[in-house]
Amino acid sequence: MDERTPVLIGAGQFTYRGDPASSPAPSSLLKIAAERAAADAGIGAAGLAGIDSLAVVGFTIDAPGSKRGMIPHAINPPATLSKMIGADPRWAVYSEMGGNTPQYLVNMLAERIARGEADLALTVGCEFLGSATKRATKGLGFDDWVAVEDETLDPPKRVGDPRAGSTAYEIRHGLSRPINIYPIFENALRARDKRSIPDHQARMGKLFAGFSAVAEGNPEAWFPTRRSADELVAVSEKNRMIGFPYPKLLNAIMDVDQSAGVLIASVKKARELGVPEDRWVYLHGCADASDLWYPLDRQDFHSSPAMRLTGKRAFEMAGIGLSDIDVIDLYSCFPVAVEIGAEELGLSLDDPRGLTVTGGLPYAGGPGNNYVMHSIAVMMDRLRAKPGAYGLVTGNGWYLTKQSTGIYSTKAPDKPFERQDPAVLQREIDALPHPEVIEAPKGRGVVETYTVIHKREGPFLGIVVGRDENGRRFAANTPNDPRTLASLEASEQIGRTGTVTQQGDLNIFTPD
């Protein structure tokens, strides 16, 4: 085997459930995960000093448009972490946003190792919104965090696509947060399949009940609680509607304190470090691409060419087919991400292999951009316990936008690692036809998809994606009177006609 072949040698996870007043600072969360990955590889914390490449997953608080506020965290997380673990990597980066990021970074680091640009790499990430929010709202302060976080450094080198997930036009109409946007995909999928609202709610509940059952057995899960299908979709005081059709329990939970990291080495370096070969997990196939970037530009709201094509490419690179896969983790921020991901890959929602190894983002925890690092860590354990088996991991960023796929196995590859330039797939996707977008439509229109956003007090915002009489796509809000909002959830709205007018810089769609 080529000594430059990249191999994953260690993975570590950490979940903090204690008193928020004593919660670890962000960089401490990273350090714990890194040390656990080193212990898993058998090289000990001292072995981290030898890493020559470091990639830290971007914190949610550093997303475009976010405000750092009163929550201290390092200006340069890779540099701060390097100091804490005694490392001096010659290549250190901090990622842009996206739930695909951990798989994307593994793909990138594996390529660097295969090219001889690195020998021992660490990729690690965390989320700390759980304790940070409680500290801020309860006035607990952050003095102990300030002592850890290094704010004196220059900003880090960034990797990944820095673009925000929505246009200013989309943001004005409420298409700016996952809890507002994923529902429009879900409703579009339901209408395409001609499924009634009650039947579709039951389908989502059944799907994610299975995920919660996996979370129950995951010691690092944020909510290790098995829930029934009915419990997940029944709206109640504890399970209020967030964005129709998703009650709270079908939404990813970002207010967590979790970290995870993975160590990757060349075969030569792994042998030098004495890592037992029964701990080695190889990346056999991988791919990265994005769908048409902004939601309104999509071909439709019930498919993902990027999911399909990154999956196809990863399988081609690995030289295997879907039937060869034994273990699966599909990105699972909301039911529709799993539903579309499974469809694009040719999987059934009731596949006997299961579709998650962690329990998914609503139950295992959705630590910002770092969930997939936990997927990979658990996948490594599952594959080590089943030598020669193959595992599939997918990652999804923004709004079914950025996609990264990985295929893993303890089985040694029979050819050199060669990652295809992501630009190849991207050119194919960017050339796909899509509807024209109009920002100030007037006159008659029809609903293409929609959602209703709720506060604790009830529904307050109707969001419509529609088509005008010329087939051009537009975003709009509905009148916010209770009767209109209630009607949007009472029956299928896709295909409903109405009139669109302007109110300031907002489009207002009034259903017939």
Side-chain angles (χ1 to χ4, degrees), residues 405-433:
T405 302
I407 295 174
Y408 298 89
S409 180
T410 60
K411 181 180 179 181
D414 56 9
K415 58 185 177 182
F417 182 91
E418 188 173 355
R419 178 191 182 208
Q420 184 184 70
D421 184 348
V424 175
L425 286 185
Q426 200 58 56
R427 285 192 292 269
E428 183 176 348
I429 294 169
D430 289 346
L432 294 172

Side-chain angles (χ1 to χ4, degrees), residues 416-469:
F417 182 91
E418 188 173 355
R419 178 191 182 208
Q420 184 184 70
D421 184 348
V424 175
L425 286 185
Q426 200 58 56
R427 285 192 292 269
E428 183 176 348
I429 294 169
D430 289 346
L432 294 172
H434 56 98
E436 179 185 352
V437 174
I438 180 171
E439 293 204 9
K442 293 181 181 180
R444 302 295 292 167
V446 61
V447 177
E448 183 176 4
T449 188
Y450 69 104
T451 186
V452 180
I453 309 303
H454 288 239
K455 294 180 180 178
R456 292 187 181 278
E457 299 77 19
F460 77 99
L461 177 66
I463 302 174
V464 164
V465 175
R467 298 291 190 99
D468 71 4
E469 292 181 298

Side-chain angles (χ1 to χ4, degrees), residues 1-19:
M1 183 167 46
D2 188 338
E3 64 179 14
R4 300 301 323 166
T5 299
V7 58
L8 283 67
I9 59 172
Q13 301 183 78
F14 175 63
T15 298
Y16 179 81
R17 300 187 183 87
D19 184 351

Side-chain angles (χ1 to χ4, degrees), residues 20 70-71 129-142 255:
M70 299 299 292
I71 301 176
L129 287 177
S131 63
T133 301
K134 293 182 179 70
R135 282 178 178 238
T137 57
K138 296 180 179 181
L140 299 176
F142 295 93
D255 283 4

Side-chain angles (χ1 to χ4, degrees), residues 32 37 117-118 141 160 206 215 280 344 347-348 353 374 441 446 454:
I32 292 168
E117 298 167 355
K206 180 181 178 182
W280 295 9
E344 297 293 14
L347 289 162
S348 169
R353 293 169 288 189
H374 294 265
V446 61
H454 288 239

